[in-house]
Amino acid sequence: DLDLVKLPKKQDRDKLLTMICENKKNNNKHELYSERLKIIKWYEKNDPLNFDLYGRGWNKFVFGRRPFTFFNRFNSIGFILKNLDQKYSVYKGEIEQKYEVLKNYNFSFCYENTEGLTGYISEKIFDCFFSYTIPIYKGAKNITKFVPKELFIDANDFKDIFEINSYIKTISSSQFYKKKLNIYDFLKSNR
């Protein structure tokens, strides 16, 4: 309900960056699951104190190739699969509501499941908007037809995760608040 959209608070949040997604794998050549995994591993190694991961299955091994994907449903049992389970220090667990997590963060990686499809825009970017968390987006090739570019950070504008991380750490409070106001105006508009 857009009547519930309130003017964003001016101050920054205590936490810098998050990502909310389920641990999945896919063999589609345009999939972004592997890009999400690269982000997680990069932060795990380089900046674990400024990144939190939420979602289902990040403490379990996931098979990505057929016919082995059948075994994913048995992932929580069995000695062999338990030995394959991944442990990430940045993983904070499963959540009930995205808003309750996102409202504590300044930025969130919002990578669609697939990249480059025209008009494929899921709830991910809008979940961020409703919590005034700035999305770092990758997905639909025509996203700016539907969402103005000043509302999000386009991951495609950067060479790698290091550049994204450096950029978000240099955004001033006034720039950050301006983005939040732009989101507010967008949510209140007919668009």
Side-chain angles (χ1 to χ4, degrees):
D1 185 358
L2 291 181
D3 291 336
L4 297 176
V5 176
K6 294 183 173 39
L7 195 63
K9 295 179 181 174
K10 189 157 186 140
Q11 79 275 8
D12 292 349
R13 284 97 183 256
D14 294 336
K15 298 182 178 186
L16 182 68
L17 181 60
T18 189
M19 183 164 53
I20 301 172
C21 58
E22 188 172 352
N23 184 9
K24 292 183 176 181
K25 292 183 181 175
N26 190 305
N27 294 324
N28 180 307
K29 68 179 180 176
H30 301 291
E31 59 83 22
L32 288 174
Y33 298 109
S34 59
E35 291 298 310
R36 292 178 190 156
L37 189 57
K38 286 178 190 175
I39 292 166
I40 294 162
K41 288 181 176 183
W42 189 91
Y43 278 97
E44 181 81 15
K45 180 180 178 186
N46 298 292
D47 198 2
L49 298 178
N50 283 309
F51 176 80
D52 293 334
L53 170 66
Y54 297 90
R56 287 192 296 251
W58 288 105
N59 56 344
K60 301 190 183 322
F61 180 82
V62 175
F63 288 96
R65 300 251 181 227
R66 287 193 175 132
F68 302 108
T69 55
F70 168 80
F71 292 108
N72 287 335
R73 66 182 70 165
F74 303 107
N75 213 6
S76 62
I77 61 172
F79 176 74
I80 295 171
L81 293 179
K82 286 284 186 194
N83 288 330
L84 296 174
D85 286 351
Q86 179 65 51
K87 306 292 187 249
Y88 293 107
S89 67
V90 296
Y91 180 58
K92 305 305 177 199
E94 296 182 21
I95 59 172
E96 292 292 321
Q97 294 184 3
K98 291 180 189 178
Y99 174 81
E100 291 302 319
V101 170
L102 288 171
K103 70 180 184 178
N104 300 308
Y105 292 86
N106 288 319
F107 304 94
S108 179
F109 281 101
C110 293
Y111 281 32
E112 300 289 3
N113 297 339
T114 303
E115 176 177 37
L117 294 178
T118 302
Y120 175 70
I121 304 166
S122 72
E123 82 291 348
K124 293 171 183 63
I125 195 167
F126 296 100
D127 288 337
C128 286
F129 291 161
F130 284 111
S131 64
Y132 295 110
T133 301
I134 308 303
I136 303 168
Y137 183 82
K138 191 170 198 168
K141 65 181 176 182
N142 65 337
I143 182 72
T144 55
K145 179 178 179 183
F146 303 99
V147 177
K149 188 156 181 151
E150 63 269 10
L151 304 186
F152 64 95
I153 296 168
D154 190 340
N156 291 315
D157 292 345
F158 299 88
K159 180 177 68 175
D160 55 25
I161 301 164
F162 175 81
E163 275 192 7
I164 293 171
N165 192 56
S166 298
Y167 174 74
I168 64 173
K169 287 183 174 181
T170 62
I171 292 178
S172 70
S173 292
S174 61
Q175 290 171 310
F176 182 69
Y177 187 61
K178 175 69 174 148
K179 279 198 177 290
K180 286 166 68 170
L181 288 177
N182 289 338
I183 290 170
Y184 173 80
D185 290 341
F186 176 73
L187 292 176
K188 286 295 204 178
S189 73
N190 290 332
R191 288 190 74 189

PDB file of all heavy atoms in Angstrom, residues 134-145:
ATOM      1  N   ILE A 134      19.518   0.975  -0.704  1.00  0.00           N
ATOM      2  CA  ILE A 134      19.924   1.213  -2.089  1.00  0.00           C
ATOM      3  C   ILE A 134      20.300  -0.118  -2.740  1.00  0.00           C
ATOM      4  O   ILE A 134      21.221  -0.801  -2.286  1.00  0.00           O
ATOM      5  CB  ILE A 134      21.123   2.195  -2.169  1.00  0.00           C
ATOM      6  CG1 ILE A 134      20.843   3.479  -1.379  1.00  0.00           C
ATOM      7  CG2 ILE A 134      21.474   2.491  -3.627  1.00  0.00           C
ATOM      8  CD1 ILE A 134      19.616   4.247  -1.777  1.00  0.00           C
ATOM      9  N   PRO A 135      19.598  -0.493  -3.812  1.00  0.00           N
ATOM     10  CA  PRO A 135      19.906  -1.755  -4.480  1.00  0.00           C
ATOM     11  C   PRO A 135      21.133  -1.648  -5.382  1.00  0.00           C
ATOM     12  O   PRO A 135      21.327  -0.644  -6.063  1.00  0.00           O
ATOM     13  CB  PRO A 135      18.667  -2.042  -5.328  1.00  0.00           C
ATOM     14  CG  PRO A 135      17.799  -0.856  -5.258  1.00  0.00           C
ATOM     15  CD  PRO A 135      18.409   0.141  -4.348  1.00  0.00           C
ATOM     16  N   ILE A 136      21.942  -2.680  -5.364  1.00  0.00           N
ATOM     17  CA  ILE A 136      23.013  -2.868  -6.338  1.00  0.00           C
ATOM     18  C   ILE A 136      22.462  -3.924  -7.279  1.00  0.00           C
ATOM     19  O   ILE A 136      22.376  -5.098  -6.922  1.00  0.00           O
ATOM     20  CB  ILE A 136      24.322  -3.312  -5.662  1.00  0.00           C
ATOM     21  CG1 ILE A 136      24.733  -2.289  -4.604  1.00  0.00           C
ATOM     22  CG2 ILE A 136      25.421  -3.517  -6.710  1.00  0.00           C
ATOM     23  CD1 ILE A 136      25.836  -2.769  -3.674  1.00  0.00           C
ATOM     24  N   TYR A 137      22.050  -3.492  -8.457  1.00  0.00           N
ATOM     25  CA  TYR A 137      21.202  -4.316  -9.319  1.00  0.00           C
ATOM     26  C   TYR A 137      21.945  -4.898 -10.512  1.00  0.00           C
ATOM     27  O   TYR A 137      22.787  -4.246 -11.119  1.00  0.00           O
ATOM     28  CB  TYR A 137      20.027  -3.485  -9.835  1.00  0.00           C
ATOM     29  CG  TYR A 137      19.059  -4.268 -10.678  1.00  0.00           C
ATOM     30  CD1 TYR A 137      18.072  -5.048 -10.094  1.00  0.00           C
ATOM     31  CD2 TYR A 137      19.151  -4.248 -12.068  1.00  0.00           C
ATOM     32  CE1 TYR A 137      17.190  -5.793 -10.868  1.00  0.00           C
ATOM     33  CE2 TYR A 137      18.276  -4.991 -12.854  1.00  0.00           C
ATOM     34  CZ  TYR A 137      17.300  -5.761 -12.246  1.00  0.00           C
ATOM     35  OH  TYR A 137      16.437  -6.492 -13.014  1.00  0.00           O
ATOM     36  N   LYS A 138      21.546  -6.125 -10.851  1.00  0.00           N
ATOM     37  CA  LYS A 138      21.993  -6.771 -12.091  1.00  0.00           C
ATOM     38  C   LYS A 138      20.869  -7.693 -12.533  1.00  0.00           C
ATOM     39  O   LYS A 138      20.339  -8.463 -11.731  1.00  0.00           O
ATOM     40  CB  LYS A 138      23.269  -7.575 -11.856  1.00  0.00           C
ATOM     41  CG  LYS A 138      23.923  -8.057 -13.121  1.00  0.00           C
ATOM     42  CD  LYS A 138      25.305  -8.623 -12.814  1.00  0.00           C
ATOM     43  CE  LYS A 138      26.120  -8.682 -14.075  1.00  0.00           C
ATOM     44  NZ  LYS A 138      27.518  -8.949 -13.805  1.00  0.00           N
ATOM     45  N   GLY A 139      20.482  -7.566 -13.814  1.00  0.00           N
ATOM     46  CA  GLY A 139      19.406  -8.418 -14.291  1.00  0.00           C
ATOM     47  C   GLY A 139      18.872  -7.984 -15.636  1.00  0.00           C
ATOM     48  O   GLY A 139      19.536  -8.155 -16.657  1.00  0.00           O
ATOM     49  N   ALA A 140      17.670  -7.400 -15.635  1.00  0.00           N
ATOM     50  CA  ALA A 140      16.992  -7.029 -16.880  1.00  0.00           C
ATOM     51  C   ALA A 140      17.820  -6.017 -17.657  1.00  0.00           C
ATOM     52  O   ALA A 140      18.301  -5.033 -17.107  1.00  0.00           O
ATOM     53  CB  ALA A 140      15.616  -6.446 -16.582  1.00  0.00           C
ATOM     54  N   LYS A 141      17.968  -6.255 -18.968  1.00  0.00           N
ATOM     55  CA  LYS A 141      18.784  -5.337 -19.773  1.00  0.00           C
ATOM     56  C   LYS A 141      18.082  -4.004 -20.005  1.00  0.00           C
ATOM     57  O   LYS A 141      18.733  -3.011 -20.313  1.00  0.00           O
ATOM     58  CB  LYS A 141      19.197  -5.983 -21.090  1.00  0.00           C
ATOM     59  CG  LYS A 141      18.075  -6.300 -22.045  1.00  0.00           C
ATOM     60  CD  LYS A 141      18.631  -6.956 -23.297  1.00  0.00           C
ATOM     61  CE  LYS A 141      17.554  -7.376 -24.255  1.00  0.00           C
ATOM     62  NZ  LYS A 141      18.099  -8.040 -25.426  1.00  0.00           N
ATOM     63  N   ASN A 142      16.777  -3.950 -19.801  1.00  0.00           N
ATOM     64  CA  ASN A 142      16.050  -2.695 -19.990  1.00  0.00           C
ATOM     65  C   ASN A 142      15.475  -2.170 -18.674  1.00  0.00           C
ATOM     66  O   ASN A 142      14.416  -1.537 -18.661  1.00  0.00           O
ATOM     67  CB  ASN A 142      14.949  -2.870 -21.034  1.00  0.00           C
ATOM     68  CG  ASN A 142      13.868  -3.842 -20.593  1.00  0.00           C
ATOM     69  OD1 ASN A 142      14.102  -4.706 -19.740  1.00  0.00           O
ATOM     70  ND2 ASN A 142      12.694  -3.706 -21.182  1.00  0.00           N
ATOM     71  N   ILE A 143      16.163  -2.402 -17.575  1.00  0.00           N
ATOM     72  CA  ILE A 143      15.684  -1.990 -16.258  1.00  0.00           C
ATOM     73  C   ILE A 143      15.353  -0.503 -16.215  1.00  0.00           C
ATOM     74  O   ILE A 143      14.374  -0.095 -15.606  1.00  0.00           O
ATOM     75  CB  ILE A 143      16.701  -2.372 -15.146  1.00  0.00           C
ATOM     76  CG1 ILE A 143      16.184  -1.995 -13.753  1.00  0.00           C
ATOM     77  CG2 ILE A 143      18.051  -1.734 -15.372  1.00  0.00           C
ATOM     78  CD1 ILE A 143      15.063  -2.834 -13.246  1.00  0.00           C
ATOM     79  N   THR A 144      16.142   0.332 -16.889  1.00  0.00           N
ATOM     80  CA  THR A 144      15.920   1.781 -16.803  1.00  0.00           C
ATOM     81  C   THR A 144      14.672   2.231 -17.557  1.00  0.00           C
ATOM     82  O   THR A 144      14.249   3.377 -17.401  1.00  0.00           O
ATOM     83  CB  THR A 144      17.152   2.569 -17.296  1.00  0.00           C
ATOM     84  OG1 THR A 144      17.477   2.147 -18.621  1.00  0.00           O
ATOM     85  CG2 THR A 144      18.337   2.343 -16.372  1.00  0.00           C
ATOM     86  N   LYS A 145      14.077   1.369 -18.335  1.00  0.00           N
ATOM     87  CA  LYS A 145      12.784   1.684 -18.959  1.00  0.00           C
ATOM     88  C   LYS A 145      11.691   1.730 -17.885  1.00  0.00           C
ATOM     89  O   LYS A 145      10.706   2.442 -18.021  1.00  0.00           O
ATOM     90  CB  LYS A 145      12.452   0.640 -20.026  1.00  0.00           C
ATOM     91  CG  LYS A 145      11.127   0.874 -20.712  1.00  0.00           C
ATOM     92  CD  LYS A 145      10.860  -0.154 -21.784  1.00  0.00           C
ATOM     93  CE  LYS A 145       9.501   0.111 -22.432  1.00  0.00           C
ATOM     94  NZ  LYS A 145       9.169  -0.899 -23.427  1.00  0.00           N
TER      95      LYS A 145
END
